[in-house]
């Protein structure tokens, strides 16, 4: 059975943009390899080695993104009274307020307020309602709003 990857519309667009940019880099990398190859002895040619390493990294990332996009299932935020994937939730944790958007693991970036539904806090939040209170890492957490 094929494992799916949850992506928001914005997350899918970001991956597609990154894929386009990586594919556009291919000719320049190929040119760097050709130029470095012309310098002669490849065993001691650091420019050649670096260009090949860059090519490998770019090609691996292209394959990774293509595989992710093949498995992608679009998350659509629906109006609900419970926290779900795609919800934006405002919480009070130990007296500090945080706003998080629940996304799949591929898009997760806590510094941007995007947390995975598979993360420890994400698992705790899923299915909860406004005014629910629970404990997480020794702190009292209250759900203030869900959008």
């Amino acid at each position: 059975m094929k494992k799916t990857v949850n992506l928001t519309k914005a997350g899918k667009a970001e991956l597609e943009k990154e894929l386009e940019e990586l594919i556009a880099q291919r000719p320049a990398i190929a040119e760097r390899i050709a130029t470095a190859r012309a310098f002669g002895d490849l065993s001691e040619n650091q420019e050649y080695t670096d260009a090949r390493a860059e090519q490998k990294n770019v090609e691996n990332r292209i394959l990774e993104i293509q595989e992710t996009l093949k498995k992608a299932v679009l998350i659509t935020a629906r109006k609900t009274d419970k926290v779900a994937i795609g919800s934006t939730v405002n919480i009070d944790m130990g007296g500090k307020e945080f706003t998080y958007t629940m996304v799949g693991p591929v898009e997760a970036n806590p510094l941007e307020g995007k947390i995975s539904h598979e993360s420890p806090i994400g698992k705790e939040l899923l299915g909860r309602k406004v005014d629910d209170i629970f404990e997480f890492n020794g702190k009292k957490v209250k759900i203030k709003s869900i959008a």
Side-chain angles (χ1 to χ4, degrees):
M1 187 167 99
K2 181 171 110 172
K3 185 176 178 351
T4 60
V5 176
N6 294 310
L7 287 176
T8 62
K9 188 175 181 180
K12 184 177 184 231
E14 281 179 36
L15 282 177
E16 289 170 338
K17 181 180 179 210
E18 182 182 354
L19 181 60
E20 281 180 32
E21 291 169 357
L22 290 169
I23 289 171
Q25 289 179 23
R26 282 175 164 165
I29 294 170
E31 188 174 316
R32 279 186 55 210
I33 291 170
T35 302
R37 187 179 287 140
F39 293 151
D41 185 9
L42 299 182
S43 65
E44 295 180 16
N45 187 332
Q46 191 61 45
E47 288 185 41
Y48 177 79
T49 302
D50 291 346
R52 290 293 303 208
E54 182 182 3
Q55 181 185 43
K56 181 180 178 185
N57 289 339
V58 166
E59 292 302 324
N60 284 340
R61 183 64 181 148
I62 287 171
L63 290 173
E64 182 182 336
I65 293 171
Q66 287 173 332
E67 194 61 28
T68 299
L69 291 172
K70 278 185 207 172
K71 296 177 182 178
V73 173
L74 233 49
I75 299 169
T76 53
R78 344 178 263 288
K79 191 71 175 158
T80 177
D81 62 339
K82 293 183 180 179
V83 177
I85 301 172
S87 297
T88 298
V89 60
N90 186 292
I91 63 171
D92 180 306
M93 184 184 299
K96 293 183 180 177
E97 284 201 24
F98 299 93
T99 300
Y100 294 118
T101 300
M102 299 289 286
V103 296
V106 171
E107 283 183 82
N109 185 341
L111 297 176
E112 293 178 2
K114 298 175 184 177
I115 59 170
S116 169
H117 66 284
E118 295 178 2
S119 69
I121 187 71
K123 287 178 182 176
E124 286 291 331
L125 290 169
L126 277 179
R128 297 205 184 252
K129 296 180 176 185
V130 173
D131 293 329
D132 278 1
I133 297 173
F134 61 96
E135 193 163 307
F136 181 77
N137 284 348
K139 294 182 182 174
K140 186 174 94 172
V141 178
K142 179 178 181 180
I143 298 180
K144 302 197 62 124
S145 66
I146 302 168

